[in-house]
Amino acid sequence: MSHQPAFDHPLLKNHTIQMRPNYHPEGLFRDKKVGKNVEGSKPITQLWHENGRCPEGTIPIRRTKKEDLLRASSIKSYGKKNHRSVPKPKSADPEPDLINQSGHQHAIAYVEGDKYYGAKATINVWDPKIQQSNEFSLSQIWILGGSFASDLNSIEAGWQVSPDLYGDSNTRLFTYWTSDSYQATGCYNLLCSGFIQINNEIAMGASIYPISDYHSSQYDISILVWKDPKEGNWWMQFGGEYVLGYWPGYLFSYLADSASMIEWGGEVVNSESDGQHTTTQMGSGHFPEEGFGKASYFRNVQVVDDSNNLRPPKDIDTFTEQSNCYSVQLGKNNEWGNFFYYGGPGRNPNCP
């Protein structure tokens, strides 16, 4: 654990690992909350568990192979997102490229205009088809601070299918961070120094299992990211019981204080390689109108307020660049709280 990539970061040379958060928005910590599976709940499996587990005091890290690096356009760009890949709703300066932000398309719900100290959602898990290996499809939470231009701070977590990054089309748990709009800082998972992992059961970038099927069994994962008001670190929890680790507060500028925007939803890369819209799917590959069992969803969408409590988001809004290709539909009920269906097939007769 003490030899993980995070400690290559100059700011983390003398960092003492924080083994548990001081505060938790869902109530006080019991000892078993950190890194252990609570009895009676079904553990979420990752495929690598079939081959064993990690001993105490260690963490699982997905091996980077030579082939992984060779698939990247350069060693420097390996494990990084393209610049400008955050949806920018209600832009004050409508730029011509807003429709196609460097080929990234989104279908999201979002809140802004307040100070946010975290976010939570339960995300339906699918395995969208990707047209070509340099495209991806993901479903995630964004925690954002700063301006979209050059100094955006972002913490991201969810699931993704990314053949270039992982060498296959499996659906995988992932995280991302940047403190300068994806320019020089940040990366996926543990591919650079930043995120400090404390959990020895869940691996970043590992395949999630099982996956939802159309008109059949539905599976989802819960992700909670919140800021520890005492230490200022941003923690991540997977499921009801796995506290995975944290991003140290001093990786960030704006997020060292709070987030100014939270987004939930899907993102794909549309490279229009043949002059047409990609057929890469978002979510389940079906439009929101189809509903449960067919379209993908985010449910129990919540934010963490300045008292460190989870609450429903106020004035939630939606954004998509081309709703004929991928769209989003909000809903609300007692069981699912604030929820939405999102996604789509990409290219279709209305999205040429």
Side-chain angles (χ1 to χ4, degrees):
M1 190 186 295
S2 57
H3 295 159
Q4 63 184 292
F7 297 110
D8 297 338
H9 195 290
L11 289 174
L12 299 180
K13 281 286 179 262
N14 301 315
H15 183 83
T16 306
I17 299 183
Q18 200 182 339
M19 290 308 292
R20 58 193 291 162
N22 293 297
Y23 294 89
H24 191 281
E26 291 176 309
L28 285 170
F29 264 117
R30 300 177 299 283
D31 281 345
K32 63 182 178 183
K33 182 99 185 175
V34 177
K36 295 283 189 289
N37 195 14
V38 175
E39 290 161 51
S41 69
K42 271 196 184 145
I44 293 166
T45 52
Q46 290 194 313
L47 286 176
W48 67 274
H49 289 167
E50 291 171 8
N51 300 312
R53 300 278 174 150
C54 286
E56 208 142 305
T58 69
I59 59 162
I61 297 188
R62 187 175 182 271
R63 190 185 303 278
T64 299
K65 301 193 178 121
K66 192 166 84 177
E67 302 83 77
D68 294 331
L69 295 171
L70 291 174
R71 276 193 313 274
S73 52
S74 70
I75 298 280
K76 196 169 171 241
S77 69
Y78 176 65
K80 291 187 180 296
K81 269 194 188 185
N82 288 350
H83 183 36
R84 296 273 329 266
S85 73
V86 167
K88 184 181 176 185
K90 284 190 187 162
S91 171
D93 47 341
E95 304 146 55
D97 68 338
L98 193 65
I99 286 296
N100 196 0
Q101 294 185 343
S102 60
H104 290 246
Q105 288 192 296
H106 309 85
I108 60 158
Y110 69 95
V111 287
E112 60 180 343
D114 207 344
K115 286 189 163 195
Y116 308 100
Y117 296 85
K120 186 179 184 188
T122 298
I123 310 172
N124 199 189
V125 181
W126 293 82
D127 56 347
K129 301 289 165 279
I130 313 297
Q131 182 182 312
Q132 53 191 67
S133 67
N134 65 340
E135 297 180 327
F136 65 61
S137 181
L138 57 76
S139 296
Q140 67 168 53
I141 299 173
W142 286 260
I143 291 178
L144 303 167
S147 75
F148 283 77
S150 60
D151 58 2
L152 187 76
N153 288 197
S154 184
I155 287 175
E156 307 169 28
W159 60 258
Q160 70 181 157
V161 177
S162 179
D164 255 10
L165 186 58
Y166 301 107
D168 62 26
S169 296
N170 292 357
T171 301
R172 296 170 176 275
L173 174 71
F174 83 95
T175 59
Y176 199 90
W177 72 276
T178 178
S179 59
D180 63 355
S181 292
Y182 307 95
Q183 293 175 91
T185 61
C187 62
Y188 284 110
N189 305 327
L190 303 177
L191 293 174
C192 66
S193 40
F195 186 84
I196 295 175
Q197 184 158 338
I198 60 165
N199 181 288
N200 72 345
E201 293 182 75
I202 300 294
M204 299 290 194
S207 303
I208 298 171
Y209 181 82
I211 303 287
S212 305
D213 257 333
Y214 187 75
H215 217 1
S216 181
S217 300
Q218 296 302 301
Y219 299 96
D220 52 29
I221 58 171
S222 281
I223 288 180
L224 166 64
V225 175
W226 80 100
K227 187 169 188 250
D228 180 334
K230 190 172 170 205
E231 304 279 343
N233 301 325
W234 287 86
W235 285 83
M236 175 176 169
Q237 179 175 311
F238 176 68
E241 51 280 331
Y242 297 108
V243 174
L244 297 191
Y246 59 93
W247 291 268
Y250 41 76
L251 293 174
F252 304 103
S253 49
Y254 296 94
L255 289 179
D257 174 43
S258 62
S260 53
M261 189 173 198
I262 307 285
E263 300 176 343
W264 301 262
E267 175 184 1
V268 298
V269 173
N270 169 31
S271 48
E272 296 183 353
S273 57
D274 45 10
Q276 295 176 292
H277 195 287
T278 182
T279 56
T280 289
Q281 299 173 329
M282 182 190 292
S284 69
H286 292 261
F287 284 116
E289 292 71 21
E290 293 196 40
F292 184 78
K294 298 171 182 176
S296 187
Y297 60 78
F298 277 61
R299 64 178 172 90
N300 302 106
V301 166
Q302 295 172 293
V303 296
V304 179
D305 65 16
D306 54 6
S307 313
N308 206 38
N309 293 316
L310 278 162
R311 61 167 173 79
K314 281 200 292 276
D315 304 325
I316 192 163
D317 216 336
T318 61
F319 171 79
T320 178
E321 288 94 348
Q322 289 174 281
S323 56
N324 291 339
C325 309
Y326 312 102
S327 68
V328 55
Q329 207 171 60
L330 292 173
K332 196 174 184 174
N333 64 29
N334 288 340
E335 198 186 340
W336 278 21
N338 286 79
F339 68 88
F340 61 89
Y341 287 99
Y342 70 101
R347 187 195 312 167
N348 67 74
N350 298 319
C351 169

